[in-house]
Amino acid sequence: MKSQKKILVTQPVLPPLEEFIPLLEDIWESKWLTNNGKYHQEFEKQLADFLGVKYISLFSNGTLALISALQELRITGEVITTPYSFVATTHALWWNGIKPVFVDIEPKHCNLDPEKIEAAITPKTTAIVPVHVYGNPCNVEATQKIADKYGLKVIYDAAHAFGVEKSGNSVLNYGDISVLSFHATKVFNTIEGGAVICHDEETKKRIDYLKNFGFAGETKVIAPGINAKMNELQAAYGLLQLKTFDEQITKRKIIADTYRELLTNVEGISFLKDIDGVKHNYAYFPIFVDEKKYGMSRDKLYEKLKEHNIFGRRYFYPLISNFSTYQGLESARFSNLPVANKIADEVICLPIYPELEIENIKMIVDLIKF
Ligand SMILES: *Cc1c(COP(=O)(O)O)cnc(C)c1O
């Protein structure tokens, strides 16, 4: 059974073109294309309401948002982070001249393991940068406790966690700053884009300066800022995306539930379950292949699916710590990261997106079963 067309790990949702055109006409008319225009302002406002956060600053992408968040908090020295993420998490540290210190993950949700953080703290440590991997919230309480004890900042890479809530509260409200990505492959997209979420007006103001070269007025530059502004076309597009987000998550949940139902009792294949009290966004559907029990390696299954036009992705393999740029770091050695290395060798993220048909899910599961 081979799919007629290629099924990729994700497929972006676009707003209806007929709703976008009038907004484009309005922008054409105004000739205001970027630099905190009216759509930018409106999108920031609606987004903050939608997500249940106080202050949000839009960015051109998630990587620059993370780099700027670290700048804003003046993070230096060493920062504790996870190797089990997209490479931009560590790159953002590197661009700030910060030494990444990798700490292993916990096997249940693949997030930074708070129990292993303390052992990695040195006099040079200034912050912790965890990732809510697959949108599953980190153990935010335990992480904050350690941060408070040692006087460290916490910056969450929340690129996967758009719309995720814990006990009715946005997961973006934890830590000092959280960062989102609106890249085309993410659960909420503005083609490219991102945001910084913070908890006070002063921080928001400084972040707004930082993304615009450090300008705090026409003739005043207060910091060596960067250019990371979101433009009006993307902000207008984002406003339309908000209207259908809840409906998209409902569709994603049905897909995740279908996968779970069909994959139950498949020997050697495991997957993540929903967490009590958490509102999930079903951004990804990772499965973990236990080669011995399943009788086939992860890579063999991955290739088999590809031969049948099913293009899952091995998020996150290789680990960031195993890329040549970072593998020389002491904390990158295998013996320091046994759980992350094991999971990176077992994972495949299966296709999940609102328009994925149930027939296709059945076909994918049949390929995994037989
Ligand atoms: C996508 C992603 C980023 C980078 O975001 P961009 O908007 O593509 O720059 C950073 N961290 C994680 C975990 C991501 O998945």
Side-chain angles (χ1 to χ4, degrees), residues 219-257:
T219 53
K220 196 164 146 197
V221 169
I222 51 113
I226 195 129
N227 180 7
K229 303 183 296 291
M230 180 181 279
N231 66 54
E232 285 291 272
L233 279 74
Q234 285 173 290
Y237 176 108
L239 277 169
L240 297 177
Q241 294 287 62
L242 281 178
K243 292 204 229 168
T244 59
F245 184 75
D246 288 339
E247 180 188 319
Q248 290 167 31
I249 298 307
T250 305
K251 289 185 186 170
R252 284 177 174 273
K253 178 172 166 45
I254 293 168
I255 293 163
D257 286 343

Side-chain angles (χ1 to χ4, degrees), residues 344-359:
D345 284 341
E346 293 183 345
V347 71
I348 305 178
C349 284
L350 297 179
I352 185 166
Y353 48 86
E355 300 312 318
L356 184 64
E357 283 161 30
I358 298 292
E359 284 316 302

Side-chain angles (χ1 to χ4, degrees), residues 61-63 85-86 88-89 131 157 159-160 181 183 186 193:
N61 62 64
T63 305
S85 179
F86 182 60
T89 309
V131 180
D157 179 340
H160 300 178
S181 164
H183 182 255
K186 302 300 204 271

Side-chain angles (χ1 to χ4, degrees), residues 265-276:
N265 303 324
V266 179
E267 181 77 3
I269 301 289
S270 55
F271 46 82
L272 304 176
K273 294 179 186 72
D274 282 0
I275 304 165
D276 274 348

